[in-house]
Amino acid sequence: MRTSVRRALWAGVAAVVVAAAVPVASAFGAGTVTATFVAASDWGTGHEARVTVANGSSSTLSTWRIEFDLPAGTTMGSFWDADVTRTGNHYMAVKKSWMGPLNPGASVSWGYNGTGPYRAPLNCTINGASCSTGTTPTNPPTGNPTTNPPTGNPTNPPTNPPTNPPSGGKKLIGYFAEWGVYGRNYHVKNIHTSGSAAKLTHILYAFGNPAGGRCSIGETYPAYEKAYTAAESVDGVADTWDQPLRGNFNQLRKLKRMYPNLKVIYSIGGWTWSSGFTQAAQNPAAFAESCYQMVEDPRWADVFDGIDIDWEYPNACGLGCDASGPNAFKNVMAALRSRFGSSALVTAAITADGSAGGKIDATDYAGAANSVNWFMPMTYDYFGAWAAQGPTAPHSPLTSYTGIPIPNFYADAAIQKLKSKGIPASKLVLGIGFYGKGWTGVTQEAPGGSATGPAPGTYEAGTEDYKVLKNTCPANRTIAGTAYAKCGSNWWSYDTPSTIAGKMSYANGQGLGGGFFWELSGDTANGELISAMKNGLG
């Protein structure tokens, strides 16, 4: 990759579940203010419950408090979007301080994970009155521990949030770069406003750092400390100084509420940080434990649905070289699967080097296939201006072509090699780059010309986003299933909606699991490339 579970479950229970509705509910009325408990998921040894507080009165509800007992054998583990205290098996949940008043006719939800199968709460009260008698006043008695937040801070989520059910079972996966909130000014909200969230099935959050053989947050400020204004926030609600989670993680939490089918996976490593995997491979179980503790931190466990490993490259060279042996990657992935459990998403971005004796051959990827949900061969960045004098070549060829600088450096060669090793086609997802690679000092329009160095780029010489290139150097030629153009002395190659359509058709024809891309900020403001991927996958 360039640069650089679901809800937390209890100790000893490493299961992650799909939030499908379960027809189990317990509604407790309190006058015109109600609290409804629903089992969002139930997997026998644990469950996820969602609690909805609805204000059916004609008055604004400034705050709320729910008290209840859980039946014997059931306990609450993690919770979100409410402050919960416990005495024995008695629980009290109150409105978060950052939530605004609950307007007439509005509702708000919070949730928790519990041990054992779902069982309806007992002795429920809302705002101090018995739920069964229905005598709760609109506003609670004096002395409720929750204080009213500042006015003008709307909090109610959309009544009917948009959904994004995957079509045809194909995955459409996009990377969100943690550092994009800086110079690129790309935020989680942009995934929503571009229309892309409704098309994606999964977001990969890049990157966690495997330094010292342990998973750690890449950078804490953008991850969970940065405060968002109402204008910047996904749901139009500003962060407050005292809320426990801010930053990208909280914004992703809000995005998932709006798009219930969208999954988020924490990606570890990347080009810059892959050296940490060498030490991780020396003690895979310890590494897996550290990753589990990071991903399933109670502050953001509901944000993430699993873990992704972007190791560049096991038993081979990337920015640095690894000599852990051909079994290292397989052992690490097996340890992660064991620790995260069978229901978590465990995925990996892998090399797309289809050459004989190349990076695919250096590692037992097939041996790791049973541990992962899918592999993402990075079928881009085959060629670029790190070879400063050229020859110019498309960085993401789908097929070979006459004059290709390195044999089998193209997507189909990698896919066929991985399939030949016994990896099911459905566990392979085709990669697309939302950027171009370019040279300057080029006189020849066709690929294969000489150059003097990398072409200028907004953030990195030799690299430019699609959203820029489509205007500054529109592609007018194609080769090997991708596009290129020469503009003055600059030569660029990149994928367009048209070439992406062809690549998605290839993915369908090969029986692949779908498509993924690096990364969201490279697309246009209206998600032009993501739309092409979505339409192509069908």
Side-chain angles (χ1 to χ4, degrees):
M1 202 61 58
R2 291 190 309 127
T3 312
S4 266
V5 221
R6 263 217 62 83
R7 312 288 183 190
L9 306 181
W10 347 112
V13 181
V16 178
V17 296
V18 177
V22 177
V24 181
S26 309
F28 303 98
T32 54
V33 180
T34 61
T36 303
F37 287 68
V38 176
S41 297
D42 190 333
W43 55 96
T45 57
H47 63 273
E48 177 191 335
R50 186 174 300 118
V51 187
T52 300
V53 179
N55 182 9
S57 75
S58 59
S59 302
T60 298
L61 185 66
S62 63
T63 192
W64 47 263
R65 180 182 77 249
I66 303 171
E67 295 191 50
F68 56 94
D69 299 320
L70 288 179
T74 301
T75 58
M76 185 187 299
S78 60
F79 52 86
W80 51 94
D81 296 335
D83 290 322
V84 180
T85 57
R86 172 186 177 185
T87 303
N89 223 29
H90 181 77
Y91 296 83
M92 181 173 70
V94 297
K95 189 185 73 164
K96 300 287 287 186
S97 62
W98 49 263
M99 289 181 174
L102 194 60
N103 295 325
S107 63
V108 66
S109 295
W110 62 279
Y112 64 87
N113 281 322
T115 56
Y118 174 81
R119 298 177 65 186
L122 306 172
N123 308 316
C124 177
T125 65
I126 183 166
N127 288 351
S130 170
C131 293
S132 60
T133 60
T135 59
T136 299
T138 303
N139 286 310
T142 304
N144 188 282
T146 304
T147 57
N148 293 331
T151 58
N153 186 15
T155 63
N156 298 325
T159 304
N160 296 302
T163 59
N164 59 331
S167 58
K170 297 293 185 179
K171 290 174 279 292
L172 205 174
I173 307 162
Y175 276 89
F176 177 90
E178 182 172 82
W179 57 92
V181 303
Y182 296 128
R184 289 177 171 271
N185 196 30
Y186 190 89
H187 304 275
V188 175
K189 180 179 180 178
N190 297 103
I191 309 174
H192 167 61
T193 58
S194 66
S196 300
K199 302 177 180 71
L200 292 168
T201 61
H202 302 79
I203 293 173
L204 290 159
Y205 185 84
F207 287 112
N209 190 349
R214 296 181 59 83
C215 279
S216 59
I217 300 293
E219 188 179 349
T220 60
Y221 176 74
Y224 61 83
E225 295 171 350
K226 175 179 166 59
Y228 276 84
T229 65
E232 296 169 331
S233 182
V234 169
D235 60 357
V237 180
D239 291 339
T240 61
W241 67 270
D242 59 343
Q243 70 186 61
L245 185 68
R246 298 186 294 191
N248 290 329
F249 290 0
N250 187 51
Q251 293 297 306
L252 287 167
R253 172 184 283 165
K254 292 181 176 187
L255 188 71
K256 289 181 69 175
R257 288 188 197 134
M258 297 174 70
Y259 300 89
N261 292 302
L262 185 62
K263 306 297 181 187
V264 180
I265 306 170
Y266 207 139
S267 185
I268 313 299
W271 176 258
T272 303
W273 285 341
S274 281
S275 61
F277 289 120
T278 299
Q279 188 170 344
Q282 296 172 12
N283 192 338
F287 173 69
E289 179 63 31
S290 73
C291 295
Y292 183 86
Q293 295 303 324
M294 184 188 77
V295 174
E296 296 298 333
D297 186 297
R299 291 171 290 178
W300 53 71
D302 58 306
V303 174
F304 296 105
D305 299 280
I307 188 169
D308 172 72
I309 297 299
D310 183 0
W311 184 352
E312 304 182 28
Y313 299 95
N315 205 37
C317 296
L319 183 61
C321 291
D322 172 74
S324 298
N327 295 323
F329 176 78
K330 174 179 66 176
N331 294 340
V332 166
M333 300 312 294
L336 289 166
R337 172 57 70 195
S338 176
R339 184 62 186 95
F340 277 80
S342 60
S343 297
L345 294 173
V346 176
T347 67
I350 64 172
T351 178
D353 175 2
S355 63
K359 293 181 177 67
I360 289 177
D361 291 330
T363 299
D364 187 6
Y365 288 110
N370 287 336
S371 298
V372 304
N373 292 86
W374 63 79
F375 288 119
M376 293 172 288
M378 294 177 280
T379 47
Y380 41 74
D381 282 1
Y382 283 106
F383 306 106
W386 47 85
Q389 281 72 51
T392 58
H395 82 87
S396 58
L398 177 63
T399 59
S400 189
Y401 65 93
T402 301
I404 190 168
I406 303 175
N408 294 312
F409 258 41
Y410 56 90
D412 182 58
I415 296 298
Q416 300 311 322
K417 179 179 277 284
L418 290 164
K419 287 168 67 174
S420 73
K421 291 180 177 294
I423 298 173
S426 61
K427 282 198 173 188
L428 297 173
V429 183
L430 189 70
I432 303 291
F434 279 13
Y435 58 90
K437 290 291 186 183
W439 288 260
T440 194
V442 180
T443 58
Q444 177 178 311
E445 182 177 50
S450 60
T452 59
T458 303
Y459 305 104
E460 176 186 350
T463 302
E464 187 58 273
D465 292 344
Y466 167 78
K467 66 177 182 282
V468 175
L469 288 172
K470 68 167 291 190
N471 298 314
T472 61
C473 192
N476 54 12
R477 299 285 189 273
T478 59
I479 189 169
T482 189
Y484 70 94
K486 181 178 178 293
C487 302
S489 64
N490 295 331
W491 192 98
W492 290 98
S493 73
Y494 57 96
D495 276 312
T496 65
S498 177
T499 63
I500 285 174
K503 288 186 174 183
M504 295 302 99
S505 177
Y506 166 85
N508 289 336
Q510 290 290 320
L512 305 187
F516 79 97
F517 61 88
W518 179 273
E519 46 85 16
L520 280 152
S521 71
D523 205 353
T524 60
N526 63 347
E528 192 174 297
L529 298 185
I530 293 173
S531 294
M533 292 184 71
K534 175 71 172 178
N535 295 336
L537 290 171

